[in-house]
Amino acid sequence: MRLLDLAHARTGDKGDTSQISIIAYDEGDYAFLAEHVTAARVAAHFAAILRGTVTRYELPGLGALNFVLHHALAGGVTRSLRLDPHGKCLGAVLLELEMPGRQAAAEHHGGNDRT
Amino acid sequence: MKTIRIGSGAGFAGDRIEPAVELAERGDLHYLGFECLAERTIALAQAERLRDPDLGFDPLLVARMEAVLPACSARGVRILTNMGAANPRGAARAVAAVARRLGLAGMRIAAVTGDDVLNTVRNGIFPLLERPGSVADLGASIRSANAYLGAEGLVAALREGADVVITGRVGDPALFLAPLIHEFGWAMDDWALLGRGTVVGHLLECAGQITGGYFADPGFKDVPNLARLGFPIAEVAADGSCIITKVAGSGGRISLSSCKEQLLYELLDPNAYLQPDVTADFSAVRFAELGPDRIAVSGGAGRERPATLKVSVGYLDSHVGEGQISYAGPGAVARGRLALEIVRERLHLIGVKMTEARFELIGVDAAHQGGDASGYADPPEVRVRVVGRTDSLAEAVRIGNEVESLYTNGPAGGGGAWKSAREVIAVVSTLIPRACAAHAVSVEVA
């Protein structure tokens, strides 16, 4: 199972900082996400482009985690040489994360937006 | 109970025009906001204003106003926008001319200025937020410096009876917060209300991003009729709570998921979203589905506004040269990688001076940054991309040339070469005391 099966993501940018929200399709999965999608895992996933640290903010009331990746955008949208200078694609890349198997979760969250 | 209906007519400078017309004609609106000013746009607009004092505002301003003014005028919908860019007064004159042409004489167009603080930051000691040094160190490369103003100037313009309010740099949510302050008489130090109004503005400011744009993901998050994506409306109550909805029959879908995504969009610390008018707290915001495309929003909060204003400083940073070329069929990835190595060596051999460069394959490792690419199959085509930063335009041109010459000097089957060389206007930030940027309102009558 991948993070893709449990949550959706949106990416924003502020200067050289990338921001990725991870939002559970089912708010009941929040604790599972909070346990397995840590700042350290996100930092490791983006190690190739991250030049700073990752801060995680928790929003249990929304079933969401907000990741702030400092110095992840090669200077930010106004000077980055990247094809995607905003880093808009990074949220989808984060959804690649492998998650520990949970039979119940796999059955419940096989696909569509249930919220 | 009185509610105010505010629509969002554009979420960026190049946004579609039709949804704003739909909102103006069928949204039963009181206000329509257009957020069209990206970070470096003012720097580019400033250069245009230097060439022609009547220009320097958003190039789509006239087209957007021609499209919406008839319906807005007929229905009493008041417009707020930051399309003034580097020249809000010039923009107001241009809109007044549009109004006269459309037979809407008497329309009042206000320009709110005061965000231009170039002379202040150029001559003082203002440290940069992103890196060591101060604004003064940028020297002659500075193009613009604009403070993020709050809602006060916009509210003053509404109080003067403006039908259209045009400004330059303001905090994006302020375009939507201002009508709420004006209509409900909110005090400028009622932090809880200003925090809730900022939630409303934040949800609206990116237009289609809350109705299903930047959201659809087939099989996971399906969105109906995206081609006719409608833009959002907030029905706001005097306590700052609101319902997010859209015109019946327009495309897209407003869901709990789309609202959550937009609430967190470009947010760093959800407990402290720094705006010129308030330190907003989004951490306790909650959404409830009232019906199809009707989501109730509650729980926003706020604390005292920051003591300083953020300033975006535009400056000439560098030049960039780029070239691209495609390879397809069996071995496309291998030929693409060979092409990258050839260009890398040739740029070295001919001595192109680059301070930074990227050699990548679109389709493999260009937009897919970080992460784990090992689980993906090789694509049937790739596009070579070489891009480098230089000190001069002439040097930048040489980069694209070496990619183009792969046609006859590179791997088999290279096609569709493209090249460019451009100046890079970048943006850094600093903070100034509030007293350094005072707003001013002037009104143009059509």
Side-chain angles (χ1 to χ4, degrees):
Chain A
M1 186 169 58
R2 289 181 298 177
L3 181 54
L4 175 71
D5 300 311
L6 293 177
H8 52 107
R10 175 167 293 194
T11 318
D13 67 293
K14 287 269 185 209
D16 198 20
T17 300
S18 176
Q19 167 270 330
I20 306 174
S21 62
I22 292 294
I23 303 167
Y25 283 113
D26 181 338
E27 289 181 10
D29 286 332
Y30 172 76
F32 183 75
L33 292 177
E35 182 186 348
H36 295 288
V37 191
T38 60
R41 269 201 90 186
V42 172
H45 197 65
F46 291 111
I49 60 166
L50 190 65
R51 299 287 171 269
T53 56
V54 174
T55 306
R56 184 178 88 167
Y57 296 97
E58 298 171 3
L59 296 125
L62 297 175
L65 298 167
N66 193 39
F67 294 92
V68 176
L69 288 68
H70 300 281
H71 301 292
L73 294 178
V77 64
T78 62
R79 77 184 301 273
S80 166
L81 297 184
R82 288 190 194 153
L83 181 65
D84 168 24
H86 299 88
K88 300 269 186 193
C89 299
L90 298 179
V93 173
L94 184 54
L95 294 179
E96 286 170 351
L97 275 186
E98 283 295 337
M99 302 295 282
R102 276 195 323 170
Q103 194 54 40
E107 282 169 11
H108 274 103
H109 314 298
N112 290 331
D113 175 1
R114 288 165 187 279
T115 56
Chain B
M1 193 176 63
K2 176 176 173 179
T3 59
I4 297 301
R5 287 173 64 91
I6 307 178
S8 177
F12 80 105
D15 216 337
R16 298 160 55 232
I17 291 181
E18 316 84 64
V21 178
E22 182 175 63
L23 280 173
E25 291 177 348
R26 297 173 51 212
D28 195 20
L29 300 181
H30 300 105
Y31 292 89
L32 179 56
F34 295 82
E35 197 292 287
C36 295
L37 199 53
E39 260 201 317
R40 75 176 132 188
T41 312
I42 284 198
L44 303 173
Q46 191 67 44
E48 193 174 49
R49 187 182 181 178
L50 287 174
R51 282 192 296 273
D52 182 343
D54 286 331
L55 295 180
F57 53 82
D58 187 297
L60 281 179
L61 172 73
V62 167
R64 288 194 197 281
M65 293 302 110
E66 279 175 344
V68 301
L69 279 190
C72 287
S73 171
R75 290 166 176 76
V77 181
R78 303 170 82 179
I79 293 170
L80 297 100
T81 182
N82 53 12
M83 279 189 275
N87 191 2
R89 288 193 178 131
R93 286 192 296 274
V95 173
V98 170
R100 282 191 289 273
R101 219 158 46 231
L102 294 170
L104 306 173
M107 212 168 195
R108 295 168 68 79
I109 326 290
V112 178
T113 53
D115 61 311
D116 185 343
V117 293
L118 181 56
N119 285 330
T120 302
V121 299
R122 187 179 250 162
N123 299 316
I125 306 291
F126 293 96
L128 301 178
L129 300 184
E130 292 84 359
R131 59 187 198 219
S134 74
V135 175
D137 298 337
L138 297 171
S141 71
I142 295 192
R143 293 293 182 270
S144 63
N146 295 77
Y148 282 82
L149 299 184
E152 277 170 301
L154 306 174
V155 173
L158 292 173
R159 206 177 291 131
E160 289 191 26
D163 300 299
V164 181
V165 181
I166 303 179
T167 190
R169 180 61 71 201
V170 293
D172 294 347
L175 294 170
F176 305 92
L177 176 60
L180 301 175
I181 295 167
H182 175 66
E183 292 284 344
F184 295 128
W186 291 352
M188 289 309 291
D189 61 354
D190 192 327
W191 311 121
L193 288 175
L194 296 180
R196 273 175 233 152
T198 298
V199 172
V200 175
H202 183 77
L203 292 174
L204 290 179
E205 71 177 68
C206 296
Q209 281 197 183
I210 197 169
T211 52
Y214 194 40
F215 179 83
D217 193 356
F220 291 88
K221 297 182 291 178
D222 289 304
V223 178
N225 203 4
L226 266 174
R228 290 199 58 250
L229 184 68
F231 286 177
I233 300 165
E235 296 174 6
V236 192
D239 68 356
S241 62
C242 77
I243 293 165
I244 302 290
T245 186
K246 65 188 184 71
V247 172
S250 62
R253 185 171 69 182
I254 303 173
S255 63
L256 293 171
S257 296
S258 73
C259 288
K260 288 179 185 177
E261 283 199 15
Q262 187 54 28
L263 181 78
L264 300 181
Y265 178 68
E266 290 190 342
L267 205 62
L268 303 181
D269 180 354
N271 305 288
Y273 185 51
L274 301 178
Q275 286 296 308
D277 294 308
V278 62
T279 299
D281 182 348
F282 290 7
S283 62
V285 170
R286 297 292 179 269
F287 298 105
E289 191 155 24
L290 304 179
D293 297 315
R294 281 184 75 77
I295 304 287
V297 186
S298 62
R303 296 188 303 281
E304 186 168 6
R305 66 189 191 183
T308 50
L309 294 174
K310 185 178 166 185
V311 175
S312 277
V313 181
Y315 70 100
L316 174 62
D317 177 87
S318 54
H319 293 79
V320 165
E322 177 174 352
Q324 297 181 9
I325 189 168
S326 288
Y327 296 90
V333 173
R335 279 177 286 134
R337 292 210 188 286
L338 175 59
L340 290 175
E341 286 318 306
I342 293 168
V343 175
R344 187 193 297 272
E345 193 172 341
R346 283 193 186 137
L347 290 172
H348 178 70
L349 286 172
I350 64 173
V352 174
K353 291 183 195 65
M354 301 186 291
T355 54
E356 185 187 352
R358 299 178 68 84
F359 298 83
E360 56 200 7
L361 295 182
I362 297 174
V364 177
D365 60 3
H368 188 279
Q369 292 284 304
D372 177 9
S374 61
Y376 296 91
D378 270 0
E381 65 174 71
V382 297
R383 190 152 175 87
V384 160
R385 178 174 187 259
V386 177
V387 55
R389 192 185 310 283
T390 62
D391 288 337
S392 74
L393 195 63
E395 200 72 356
V397 166
R398 302 174 73 195
I399 297 168
N401 289 349
E402 290 307 318
V403 175
E404 185 184 43
S405 69
L406 288 169
Y407 267 140
T408 55
N409 298 266
W418 167 92
K419 62 183 179 178
S420 85
R422 59 190 184 271
E423 180 179 274
V424 174
I425 302 291
V427 167
V428 285
S429 314
T430 190
L431 300 171
I432 60 168
R434 288 181 167 273
C436 291
H439 68 262
V441 179
S442 61
V443 178
E444 192 85 21
V445 180

